[in-house]
Amino acid sequence: MSFQHYWYIVAESRELGRDQVLARQVLDERLVCFRAADGRATVLRDRCLHRNAPLSAGQVRQGLLVCPYHGWTYDGEGRVVAIPALGPELRQRHCLPPYAVIEQDGFVYVQLDRTAAAQIRPFAMPHYGEPGWFTLRLQNRFRNNVANCVENFIDIPHTAFVHRRIFRSSTGEKLSARVVLRNAQVHIEYANERRNLGSYRWFLNPRGLAVSHTDSFHAPNVTSVEYRIGRKVFLITSQAVPVSEQETLVYTDLTYRFGLFNRLAAPFVRRYGQRIIDQDLQILALQMDSIQRYGREFRDTPADHIHRLVDSLREAIGRGENPHDLPEACLDIEFYV
Ligand code: FES
Ligand SMILES: [Fe+2]
């Protein structure tokens, strides 16, 4: 197993219109995305077979991708179907092998290496498009790697500093959680989350009900944060797409069920979510600067055991192992926020 075997988002479905060309990069691989004549999303290496111009600088005409340099023309299977310099006598056969693509939950996913990985599917976005649920979609480019991004997305102690007051205030409260590693996932269930939800408490929890809070990590790149307060449910699901070792494109779904307030709450939820992410973008860029200069060498508190387990899954993939084979682990942690 390697990181290339997993599915990564290259675009939201709505971004890839007909006759549109998108340039993307995943795990340092340059990709060009377009829709073939039958509407299917196609992803090819962004490099023309003729003289290696980037195809993403070209155009799509009737579902065919035309290279900007000498006009070699590719179909949805990556076959060269026209070479202007040969006129009508196209006797040469050339093909740019297409990557495996799946379109699901409003996202276009690519898999860079399809060998030995038939059982891996894209992560299913929870409650996407279900009646009664509302999803807002954000995209943010982090100047940091996937490991540090996913760590941040399920890290509690930073919230009282980076998101002071907006999301959580430091009250010296003790939190306890059960952390379980199983099936290439890490699940964290917080036992005694209460009302410490910062300035948005009046909306999220006006009656001071018990807050149920679980986080999870799904190897290699998905995190999910879930709050349940009475009948209200609020989920933050993030897919961190590795662009390079210094850059991660994060697709975040804010999915919620607020009953009658679903539509009304949308602009407010979007602004709230983006404001929090902006603060994380900043601190993660600073962290990357420091790591690039001095290397990555971390020290831990009990709260960081979560991140160690997440790292252990990603490191297993990095070694070519199947993260499902890691032994199960369960531990109880306590820390203060
Ligand atoms: S480089 Fe693409 S057609 Fe020549
Ligand atoms: Fe954060």
Side-chain angles (χ1 to χ4, degrees):
M1 205 76 94
S2 78
F3 289 108
Q4 274 79 2
H5 285 123
Y6 290 90
W7 294 92
Y8 299 104
I9 298 170
V10 285
E12 293 180 35
S13 295
R14 61 169 182 88
E15 293 176 291
L16 191 60
R18 278 190 185 270
D19 296 339
Q20 191 141 20
V21 191
L22 299 177
R24 292 292 187 262
Q25 186 174 305
V26 175
L27 287 166
D28 285 314
E29 183 70 34
R30 298 254 170 110
L31 306 170
V32 57
C33 318
F34 67 102
R35 286 199 188 275
D38 61 3
R40 267 185 307 141
T42 302
V43 181
L44 305 173
R45 175 173 282 179
D46 191 10
R47 178 178 183 258
C48 180
L49 291 166
H50 178 226
R51 286 295 182 272
N52 302 161
L55 293 165
S56 58
Q59 287 183 341
V60 178
R61 291 188 204 128
Q62 285 149 3
L64 299 172
L65 176 61
V66 183
C67 177
Y69 199 2
H70 312 90
W72 283 35
T73 301
Y74 298 78
D75 72 5
E77 306 296 325
R79 289 176 300 224
V80 177
V81 294
I83 297 179
L86 292 178
E89 299 159 38
L90 180 68
R91 277 192 223 99
Q92 297 179 7
R93 277 173 205 275
H94 303 278
C95 185
L96 198 47
Y99 290 107
V101 171
I102 290 179
E103 205 160 348
Q104 176 183 303
D105 301 332
F107 284 126
V108 179
Y109 290 86
V110 73
Q111 185 188 43
L112 297 180
D113 183 345
R114 69 168 102 187
T115 56
Q119 75 282 24
I120 301 178
R121 295 278 310 172
F123 184 82
M125 294 308 271
H127 304 294
Y128 180 77
E130 281 178 25
W133 293 81
F134 207 86
T135 297
L136 291 167
R137 214 150 246 193
L138 306 175
Q139 285 184 31
N140 287 279
R141 202 170 278 274
F142 283 76
R143 217 170 55 66
N144 207 320
N145 57 31
V146 171
N148 294 329
C149 286
V150 297
E151 162 164 333
N152 171 270
F153 302 157
I154 50 172
D155 179 86
I156 300 285
H158 87 280
T159 56
F161 284 84
V162 175
H163 313 301
R164 198 190 307 262
R165 284 193 286 275
I166 314 189
F167 179 50
R168 195 188 281 275
S169 324
S170 183
T171 54
E173 187 182 1
K174 196 187 218 177
L175 278 188
S176 41
R178 170 153 291 187
V179 186
V180 175
L181 180 147
R182 184 186 298 141
N183 291 334
Q185 299 171 11
V186 178
H187 283 275
I188 309 109
E189 193 160 338
Y190 290 92
N192 51 343
E193 273 275 47
R194 269 192 284 270
R195 284 142 225 197
N196 188 7
L197 293 167
S199 57
Y200 290 89
R201 189 185 62 202
W202 62 269
F203 176 72
L204 289 172
N205 197 9
R207 285 187 286 150
L209 300 173
V211 177
S212 139
H213 173 194
T214 44
D215 290 350
S216 51
F217 167 74
H218 307 258
N221 67 328
V222 180
T223 59
S224 133
V225 172
E226 179 179 321
Y227 284 99
R228 286 172 188 272
I229 305 166
R231 284 189 46 76
K232 288 193 186 116
V233 185
F234 187 50
L235 309 170
I236 307 159
T237 314
S238 306
Q239 297 215 29
V241 179
V243 176
S244 69
E245 194 38 45
Q246 298 81 37
E247 196 179 335
T248 304
L249 189 55
V250 177
Y251 294 83
T252 308
D253 271 10
L254 306 172
T255 306
Y256 57 88
R257 193 183 63 193
F258 293 163
L260 288 176
F261 294 104
N262 270 5
R263 213 158 267 285
L264 220 58
F268 152 81
V269 172
R270 181 180 290 279
R271 205 161 357 110
Y272 175 49
Q274 190 57 53
R275 200 164 149 209
I276 287 177
I277 293 172
D278 286 343
Q279 294 172 326
D280 286 326
L281 281 164
Q282 229 174 30
I283 190 68
L284 281 164
L286 292 174
Q287 180 194 34
M288 189 81 246
D289 277 346
S290 173
I291 288 175
Q292 279 178 326
R293 186 168 297 257
Y294 295 115
R296 187 185 199 251
E297 191 190 315
F298 293 172
R299 300 199 183 177
D300 295 340
T301 68
D304 299 308
H305 287 330
I306 296 166
H307 310 318
R308 287 292 173 195
L309 293 178
V310 167
D311 278 348
S312 72
L313 288 169
R314 289 186 46 85
E315 283 161 11
I317 299 168
R319 290 191 301 269
E321 296 167 11
N322 186 337
H324 286 266
D325 296 340
L326 280 195
E328 288 185 14
C330 175
L331 59 149
D332 293 313
I333 57 170
E334 286 184 334
F335 59 91
Y336 293 85
V337 269

